[in-house]
Structure formats: C-alpha cells, structure tokens
Amino acid sequence: MKRLLAMVAAAGVLAGCGPLKSTSHLLDAEVQIQAARTAGAEKLAPYEWTAANLYIHKAREEVSYSDYQAGVDFAEKASRFAAQAREQAMANANAAEEAASSSPNP
C-alpha cells in the first residue's frame, strides 16, 4: 500500500512539471522576441523575426492542447530565432551606421 501511495505521489509531482517547464520556456522566448523587437528585427532581420513569431505562436498552440513537450520544443526554437534576429538586426544596424559614416558628405 505504501509503495502504491509513493508511486501515485511521484506521478502527481512529475505530472505538474510539464506546464511549469513549458511556461518557463514560453516566457524566455517572449523576452527574446521583445529584445529582438527593440533591436529593430522587424525590418533588419525579417526572416528570423518571422520564424521566431511563428514558432512562439505554435508553442502556445501546442501548450493549449496540453502537449507540453512539443510546446517546449517550439518555444526553444522561437527563442533561438529571436536571438538570431536580435544579433542580425544589431549587425545590420551597425553595418548601415558604418557605411553612412564612411561615405563622403556632399
């Protein structure tokens, strides 16, 4: 009886991890997307920006179906693309700034 009770308690604890883990990853991805937006990724890194937003949308959809692992996977992809979008946007902005400063003034 004690063994059964211990197994049920362990299963209950483990079942609660899915929503917590997926929520954490969703929040991390949203922070990365906001950082990319601040860097101007919408215009300066449109591919990565679009991919990040589509993946975060899909992650939320999967979590709403209680498919937490798929939600985590998509949220991680969204986070990676958002980080790439931020880096690309900053690199493009720096390149444009350097090109503007190196061109002769008329």
mmCIF file with all atom_site columns, all heavy atoms in Angstrom, residues 51-68:
data_model
loop_
_atom_site.group_PDB
_atom_site.id
_atom_site.type_symbol
_atom_site.label_atom_id
_atom_site.label_alt_id
_atom_site.label_comp_id
_atom_site.label_asym_id
_atom_site.label_entity_id
_atom_site.label_seq_id
_atom_site.pdbx_PDB_ins_code
_atom_site.Cartn_x
_atom_site.Cartn_y
_atom_site.Cartn_z
_atom_site.occupancy
_atom_site.B_iso_or_equiv
_atom_site.pdbx_formal_charge
_atom_site.auth_seq_id
_atom_site.auth_comp_id
_atom_site.auth_asym_id
_atom_site.auth_atom_id
_atom_site.pdbx_PDB_model_num
ATOM 1   N N   . ALA A 1 51 ? 10.195 33.855 -38.252 1.00 0.00 ? 51 ALA A N   1
ATOM 2   C CA  . ALA A 1 51 ? 10.307 32.489 -37.739 1.00 0.00 ? 51 ALA A CA  1
ATOM 3   C C   . ALA A 1 51 ? 10.083 32.460 -36.230 1.00 0.00 ? 51 ALA A C   1
ATOM 4   O O   . ALA A 1 51 ? 9.362  31.587 -35.717 1.00 0.00 ? 51 ALA A O   1
ATOM 5   C CB  . ALA A 1 51 ? 11.672 31.904 -38.090 1.00 0.00 ? 51 ALA A CB  1
ATOM 6   N N   . ALA A 1 52 ? 10.680 33.395 -35.509 1.00 0.00 ? 52 ALA A N   1
ATOM 7   C CA  . ALA A 1 52 ? 10.508 33.436 -34.055 1.00 0.00 ? 52 ALA A CA  1
ATOM 8   C C   . ALA A 1 52 ? 9.042  33.612 -33.685 1.00 0.00 ? 52 ALA A C   1
ATOM 9   O O   . ALA A 1 52 ? 8.530  32.925 -32.783 1.00 0.00 ? 52 ALA A O   1
ATOM 10  C CB  . ALA A 1 52 ? 11.351 34.559 -33.452 1.00 0.00 ? 52 ALA A CB  1
ATOM 11  N N   . ASN A 1 53 ? 8.356  34.503 -34.371 1.00 0.00 ? 53 ASN A N   1
ATOM 12  C CA  . ASN A 1 53 ? 6.949  34.742 -34.059 1.00 0.00 ? 53 ASN A CA  1
ATOM 13  C C   . ASN A 1 53 ? 6.057  33.562 -34.423 1.00 0.00 ? 53 ASN A C   1
ATOM 14  O O   . ASN A 1 53 ? 5.111  33.240 -33.694 1.00 0.00 ? 53 ASN A O   1
ATOM 15  C CB  . ASN A 1 53 ? 6.468  36.019 -34.739 1.00 0.00 ? 53 ASN A CB  1
ATOM 16  C CG  . ASN A 1 53 ? 6.892  37.230 -33.968 1.00 0.00 ? 53 ASN A CG  1
ATOM 17  O OD1 . ASN A 1 53 ? 6.356  37.515 -32.904 1.00 0.00 ? 53 ASN A OD1 1
ATOM 18  N ND2 . ASN A 1 53 ? 7.889  37.936 -34.468 1.00 0.00 ? 53 ASN A ND2 1
ATOM 19  N N   . LEU A 1 54 ? 6.355  32.906 -35.529 1.00 0.00 ? 54 LEU A N   1
ATOM 20  C CA  . LEU A 1 54 ? 5.564  31.731 -35.902 1.00 0.00 ? 54 LEU A CA  1
ATOM 21  C C   . LEU A 1 54 ? 5.795  30.579 -34.926 1.00 0.00 ? 54 LEU A C   1
ATOM 22  O O   . LEU A 1 54 ? 4.853  29.876 -34.556 1.00 0.00 ? 54 LEU A O   1
ATOM 23  C CB  . LEU A 1 54 ? 5.896  31.305 -37.333 1.00 0.00 ? 54 LEU A CB  1
ATOM 24  C CG  . LEU A 1 54 ? 5.416  32.252 -38.425 1.00 0.00 ? 54 LEU A CG  1
ATOM 25  C CD1 . LEU A 1 54 ? 5.919  31.794 -39.786 1.00 0.00 ? 54 LEU A CD1 1
ATOM 26  C CD2 . LEU A 1 54 ? 3.904  32.372 -38.425 1.00 0.00 ? 54 LEU A CD2 1
ATOM 27  N N   . TYR A 1 55 ? 7.039  30.398 -34.490 1.00 0.00 ? 55 TYR A N   1
ATOM 28  C CA  . TYR A 1 55 ? 7.326  29.327 -33.538 1.00 0.00 ? 55 TYR A CA  1
ATOM 29  C C   . TYR A 1 55 ? 6.700  29.599 -32.172 1.00 0.00 ? 55 TYR A C   1
ATOM 30  O O   . TYR A 1 55 ? 6.203  28.675 -31.526 1.00 0.00 ? 55 TYR A O   1
ATOM 31  C CB  . TYR A 1 55 ? 8.827  29.096 -33.393 1.00 0.00 ? 55 TYR A CB  1
ATOM 32  C CG  . TYR A 1 55 ? 9.405  28.202 -34.468 1.00 0.00 ? 55 TYR A CG  1
ATOM 33  C CD1 . TYR A 1 55 ? 10.461 28.624 -35.256 1.00 0.00 ? 55 TYR A CD1 1
ATOM 34  C CD2 . TYR A 1 55 ? 8.899  26.925 -34.684 1.00 0.00 ? 55 TYR A CD2 1
ATOM 35  C CE1 . TYR A 1 55 ? 10.994 27.800 -36.242 1.00 0.00 ? 55 TYR A CE1 1
ATOM 36  C CE2 . TYR A 1 55 ? 9.414  26.097 -35.654 1.00 0.00 ? 55 TYR A CE2 1
ATOM 37  C CZ  . TYR A 1 55 ? 10.465 26.537 -36.430 1.00 0.00 ? 55 TYR A CZ  1
ATOM 38  O OH  . TYR A 1 55 ? 10.986 25.726 -37.391 1.00 0.00 ? 55 TYR A OH  1
ATOM 39  N N   . ILE A 1 56 ? 6.703  30.843 -31.722 1.00 0.00 ? 56 ILE A N   1
ATOM 40  C CA  . ILE A 1 56 ? 6.081  31.127 -30.415 1.00 0.00 ? 56 ILE A CA  1
ATOM 41  C C   . ILE A 1 56 ? 4.568  30.911 -30.501 1.00 0.00 ? 56 ILE A C   1
ATOM 42  O O   . ILE A 1 56 ? 3.943  30.411 -29.559 1.00 0.00 ? 56 ILE A O   1
ATOM 43  C CB  . ILE A 1 56 ? 6.436  32.535 -29.879 1.00 0.00 ? 56 ILE A CB  1
ATOM 44  C CG1 . ILE A 1 56 ? 6.071  32.660 -28.389 1.00 0.00 ? 56 ILE A CG1 1
ATOM 45  C CG2 . ILE A 1 56 ? 5.736  33.626 -30.632 1.00 0.00 ? 56 ILE A CG2 1
ATOM 46  C CD1 . ILE A 1 56 ? 6.948  31.931 -27.470 1.00 0.00 ? 56 ILE A CD1 1
ATOM 47  N N   . HIS A 1 57 ? 3.995  31.255 -31.630 1.00 0.00 ? 57 HIS A N   1
ATOM 48  C CA  . HIS A 1 57 ? 2.561  31.029 -31.823 1.00 0.00 ? 57 HIS A CA  1
ATOM 49  C C   . HIS A 1 57 ? 2.259  29.529 -31.785 1.00 0.00 ? 57 HIS A C   1
ATOM 50  O O   . HIS A 1 57 ? 1.300  29.093 -31.126 1.00 0.00 ? 57 HIS A O   1
ATOM 51  C CB  . HIS A 1 57 ? 2.108  31.636 -33.159 1.00 0.00 ? 57 HIS A CB  1
ATOM 52  C CG  . HIS A 1 57 ? 0.674  31.401 -33.462 1.00 0.00 ? 57 HIS A CG  1
ATOM 53  N ND1 . HIS A 1 57 ? -0.350 32.086 -32.845 1.00 0.00 ? 57 HIS A ND1 1
ATOM 54  C CD2 . HIS A 1 57 ? 0.075  30.534 -34.311 1.00 0.00 ? 57 HIS A CD2 1
ATOM 55  C CE1 . HIS A 1 57 ? -1.510 31.658 -33.302 1.00 0.00 ? 57 HIS A CE1 1
ATOM 56  N NE2 . HIS A 1 57 ? -1.276 30.706 -34.195 1.00 0.00 ? 57 HIS A NE2 1
ATOM 57  N N   . LYS A 1 58 ? 3.084  28.733 -32.470 1.00 0.00 ? 58 LYS A N   1
ATOM 58  C CA  . LYS A 1 58 ? 2.885  27.283 -32.487 1.00 0.00 ? 58 LYS A CA  1
ATOM 59  C C   . LYS A 1 58 ? 3.121  26.686 -31.089 1.00 0.00 ? 58 LYS A C   1
ATOM 60  O O   . LYS A 1 58 ? 2.407  25.772 -30.670 1.00 0.00 ? 58 LYS A O   1
ATOM 61  C CB  . LYS A 1 58 ? 3.828  26.636 -33.506 1.00 0.00 ? 58 LYS A CB  1
ATOM 62  C CG  . LYS A 1 58 ? 3.594  25.163 -33.694 1.00 0.00 ? 58 LYS A CG  1
ATOM 63  C CD  . LYS A 1 58 ? 2.229  24.868 -34.281 1.00 0.00 ? 58 LYS A CD  1
ATOM 64  C CE  . LYS A 1 58 ? 2.062  23.381 -34.538 1.00 0.00 ? 58 LYS A CE  1
ATOM 65  N NZ  . LYS A 1 58 ? 0.712  23.054 -34.960 1.00 0.00 ? 58 LYS A NZ  1
ATOM 66  N N   . ALA A 1 59 ? 4.093  27.223 -30.361 1.00 0.00 ? 59 ALA A N   1
ATOM 67  C CA  . ALA A 1 59 ? 4.345  26.741 -28.995 1.00 0.00 ? 59 ALA A CA  1
ATOM 68  C C   . ALA A 1 59 ? 3.124  26.969 -28.116 1.00 0.00 ? 59 ALA A C   1
ATOM 69  O O   . ALA A 1 59 ? 2.717  26.076 -27.362 1.00 0.00 ? 59 ALA A O   1
ATOM 70  C CB  . ALA A 1 59 ? 5.563  27.449 -28.414 1.00 0.00 ? 59 ALA A CB  1
ATOM 71  N N   . ARG A 1 60 ? 2.538  28.150 -28.220 1.00 0.00 ? 60 ARG A N   1
ATOM 72  C CA  . ARG A 1 60 ? 1.331  28.431 -27.420 1.00 0.00 ? 60 ARG A CA  1
ATOM 73  C C   . ARG A 1 60 ? 0.185  27.501 -27.808 1.00 0.00 ? 60 ARG A C   1
ATOM 74  O O   . ARG A 1 60 ? -0.578 27.049 -26.946 1.00 0.00 ? 60 ARG A O   1
ATOM 75  C CB  . ARG A 1 60 ? 0.908  29.886 -27.615 1.00 0.00 ? 60 ARG A CB  1
ATOM 76  C CG  . ARG A 1 60 ? 1.808  30.871 -26.950 1.00 0.00 ? 60 ARG A CG  1
ATOM 77  C CD  . ARG A 1 60 ? 1.239  32.275 -27.077 1.00 0.00 ? 60 ARG A CD  1
ATOM 78  N NE  . ARG A 1 60 ? 2.223  33.258 -26.719 1.00 0.00 ? 60 ARG A NE  1
ATOM 79  C CZ  . ARG A 1 60 ? 2.663  34.219 -27.517 1.00 0.00 ? 60 ARG A CZ  1
ATOM 80  N NH1 . ARG A 1 60 ? 2.193  34.340 -28.738 1.00 0.00 ? 60 ARG A NH1 1
ATOM 81  N NH2 . ARG A 1 60 ? 3.567  35.078 -27.101 1.00 0.00 ? 60 ARG A NH2 1
ATOM 82  N N   . GLU A 1 61 ? 0.067  27.235 -29.101 1.00 0.00 ? 61 GLU A N   1
ATOM 83  C CA  . GLU A 1 61 ? -0.989 26.341 -29.571 1.00 0.00 ? 61 GLU A CA  1
ATOM 84  C C   . GLU A 1 61 ? -0.810 24.931 -28.995 1.00 0.00 ? 61 GLU A C   1
ATOM 85  O O   . GLU A 1 61 ? -1.771 24.327 -28.506 1.00 0.00 ? 61 GLU A O   1
ATOM 86  C CB  . GLU A 1 61 ? -0.968 26.288 -31.097 1.00 0.00 ? 61 GLU A CB  1
ATOM 87  C CG  . GLU A 1 61 ? -2.004 25.367 -31.701 1.00 0.00 ? 61 GLU A CG  1
ATOM 88  C CD  . GLU A 1 61 ? -1.904 25.293 -33.211 1.00 0.00 ? 61 GLU A CD  1
ATOM 89  O OE1 . GLU A 1 61 ? -1.288 26.185 -33.831 1.00 0.00 ? 61 GLU A OE1 1
ATOM 90  O OE2 . GLU A 1 61 ? -2.441 24.331 -33.773 1.00 0.00 ? 61 GLU A OE2 1
ATOM 91  N N   . GLU A 1 62 ? 0.419  24.416 -29.047 1.00 0.00 ? 62 GLU A N   1
ATOM 92  C CA  . GLU A 1 62 ? 0.672  23.068 -28.539 1.00 0.00 ? 62 GLU A CA  1
ATOM 93  C C   . GLU A 1 62 ? 0.429  22.989 -27.033 1.00 0.00 ? 62 GLU A C   1
ATOM 94  O O   . GLU A 1 62 ? -0.115 21.995 -26.537 1.00 0.00 ? 62 GLU A O   1
ATOM 95  C CB  . GLU A 1 62 ? 2.100  22.627 -28.871 1.00 0.00 ? 62 GLU A CB  1
ATOM 96  C CG  . GLU A 1 62 ? 2.335  22.413 -30.355 1.00 0.00 ? 62 GLU A CG  1
ATOM 97  C CD  . GLU A 1 62 ? 1.453  21.350 -30.967 1.00 0.00 ? 62 GLU A CD  1
ATOM 98  O OE1 . GLU A 1 62 ? 1.164  20.338 -30.299 1.00 0.00 ? 62 GLU A OE1 1
ATOM 99  O OE2 . GLU A 1 62 ? 1.039  21.526 -32.129 1.00 0.00 ? 62 GLU A OE2 1
ATOM 100 N N   . VAL A 1 63 ? 0.821  24.005 -26.299 1.00 0.00 ? 63 VAL A N   1
ATOM 101 C CA  . VAL A 1 63 ? 0.575  24.024 -24.852 1.00 0.00 ? 63 VAL A CA  1
ATOM 102 C C   . VAL A 1 63 ? -0.927 24.058 -24.576 1.00 0.00 ? 63 VAL A C   1
ATOM 103 O O   . VAL A 1 63 ? -1.406 23.415 -23.636 1.00 0.00 ? 63 VAL A O   1
ATOM 104 C CB  . VAL A 1 63 ? 1.309  25.205 -24.187 1.00 0.00 ? 63 VAL A CB  1
ATOM 105 C CG1 . VAL A 1 63 ? 0.855  25.409 -22.752 1.00 0.00 ? 63 VAL A CG1 1
ATOM 106 C CG2 . VAL A 1 63 ? 2.815  24.968 -24.232 1.00 0.00 ? 63 VAL A CG2 1
ATOM 107 N N   . SER A 1 64 ? -1.668 24.760 -25.413 1.00 0.00 ? 64 SER A N   1
ATOM 108 C CA  . SER A 1 64 ? -3.121 24.807 -25.196 1.00 0.00 ? 64 SER A CA  1
ATOM 109 C C   . SER A 1 64 ? -3.769 23.445 -25.409 1.00 0.00 ? 64 SER A C   1
ATOM 110 O O   . SER A 1 64 ? -4.834 23.178 -24.874 1.00 0.00 ? 64 SER A O   1
ATOM 111 C CB  . SER A 1 64 ? -3.764 25.847 -26.121 1.00 0.00 ? 64 SER A CB  1
ATOM 112 O OG  . SER A 1 64 ? -3.802 25.385 -27.461 1.00 0.00 ? 64 SER A OG  1
ATOM 113 N N   . TYR A 1 65 ? -3.108 22.577 -26.191 1.00 0.00 ? 65 TYR A N   1
ATOM 114 C CA  . TYR A 1 65 ? -3.588 21.203 -26.374 1.00 0.00 ? 65 TYR A CA  1
ATOM 115 C C   . TYR A 1 65 ? -2.997 20.255 -25.328 1.00 0.00 ? 65 TYR A C   1
ATOM 116 O O   . TYR A 1 65 ? -3.115 19.039 -25.442 1.00 0.00 ? 65 TYR A O   1
ATOM 117 C CB  . TYR A 1 65 ? -3.217 20.679 -27.761 1.00 0.00 ? 65 TYR A CB  1
ATOM 118 C CG  . TYR A 1 65 ? -3.872 21.417 -28.908 1.00 0.00 ? 65 TYR A CG  1
ATOM 119 C CD1 . TYR A 1 65 ? -3.135 21.751 -30.032 1.00 0.00 ? 65 TYR A CD1 1
ATOM 120 C CD2 . TYR A 1 65 ? -5.206 21.780 -28.873 1.00 0.00 ? 65 TYR A CD2 1
ATOM 121 C CE1 . TYR A 1 65 ? -3.704 22.412 -31.092 1.00 0.00 ? 65 TYR A CE1 1
ATOM 122 C CE2 . TYR A 1 65 ? -5.796 22.449 -29.924 1.00 0.00 ? 65 TYR A CE2 1
ATOM 123 C CZ  . TYR A 1 65 ? -5.038 22.762 -31.029 1.00 0.00 ? 65 TYR A CZ  1
ATOM 124 O OH  . TYR A 1 65 ? -5.606 23.433 -32.090 1.00 0.00 ? 65 TYR A OH  1
ATOM 125 N N   . SER A 1 66 ? -2.297 20.802 -24.344 1.00 0.00 ? 66 SER A N   1
ATOM 126 C CA  . SER A 1 66 ? -1.627 20.045 -23.281 1.00 0.00 ? 66 SER A CA  1
ATOM 127 C C   . SER A 1 66 ? -0.512 19.161 -23.817 1.00 0.00 ? 66 SER A C   1
ATOM 128 O O   . SER A 1 66 ? -0.155 18.162 -23.200 1.00 0.00 ? 66 SER A O   1
ATOM 129 C CB  . SER A 1 66 ? -2.621 19.197 -22.487 1.00 0.00 ? 66 SER A CB  1
ATOM 130 O OG  . SER A 1 66 ? -3.564 20.029 -21.846 1.00 0.00 ? 66 SER A OG  1
ATOM 131 N N   . ASP A 1 67 ? 0.048  19.524 -24.949 1.00 0.00 ? 67 ASP A N   1
ATOM 132 C CA  . ASP A 1 67 ? 1.225  18.837 -25.487 1.00 0.00 ? 67 ASP A CA  1
ATOM 133 C C   . ASP A 1 67 ? 2.433  19.662 -25.075 1.00 0.00 ? 67 ASP A C   1
ATOM 134 O O   . ASP A 1 67 ? 2.993  20.430 -25.847 1.00 0.00 ? 67 ASP A O   1
ATOM 135 C CB  . ASP A 1 67 ? 1.126  18.699 -27.007 1.00 0.00 ? 67 ASP A CB  1
ATOM 136 C CG  . ASP A 1 67 ? 2.177  17.767 -27.570 1.00 0.00 ? 67 ASP A CG  1
ATOM 137 O OD1 . ASP A 1 67 ? 3.066  17.336 -26.804 1.00 0.00 ? 67 ASP A OD1 1
ATOM 138 O OD2 . ASP A 1 67 ? 2.115  17.478 -28.776 1.00 0.00 ? 67 ASP A OD2 1
ATOM 139 N N   . TYR A 1 68 ? 2.828  19.501 -23.815 1.00 0.00 ? 68 TYR A N   1
ATOM 140 C CA  . TYR A 1 68 ? 3.822  20.384 -23.216 1.00 0.00 ? 68 TYR A CA  1
ATOM 141 C C   . TYR A 1 68 ? 5.212  20.213 -23.819 1.00 0.00 ? 68 TYR A C   1
ATOM 142 O O   . TYR A 1 68 ? 5.923  21.191 -23.999 1.00 0.00 ? 68 TYR A O   1
ATOM 143 C CB  . TYR A 1 68 ? 3.857  20.183 -21.701 1.00 0.00 ? 68 TYR A CB  1
ATOM 144 C CG  . TYR A 1 68 ? 2.530  20.495 -21.067 1.00 0.00 ? 68 TYR A CG  1
ATOM 145 C CD1 . TYR A 1 68 ? 1.770  19.502 -20.471 1.00 0.00 ? 68 TYR A CD1 1
ATOM 146 C CD2 . TYR A 1 68 ? 2.028  21.791 -21.092 1.00 0.00 ? 68 TYR A CD2 1
ATOM 147 C CE1 . TYR A 1 68 ? 0.541  19.792 -19.900 1.00 0.00 ? 68 TYR A CE1 1
ATOM 148 C CE2 . TYR A 1 68 ? 0.792  22.084 -20.525 1.00 0.00 ? 68 TYR A CE2 1
ATOM 149 C CZ  . TYR A 1 68 ? 0.064  21.079 -19.935 1.00 0.00 ? 68 TYR A CZ  1
ATOM 150 O OH  . TYR A 1 68 ? -1.153 21.370 -19.378 1.00 0.00 ? 68 TYR A OH  1
#
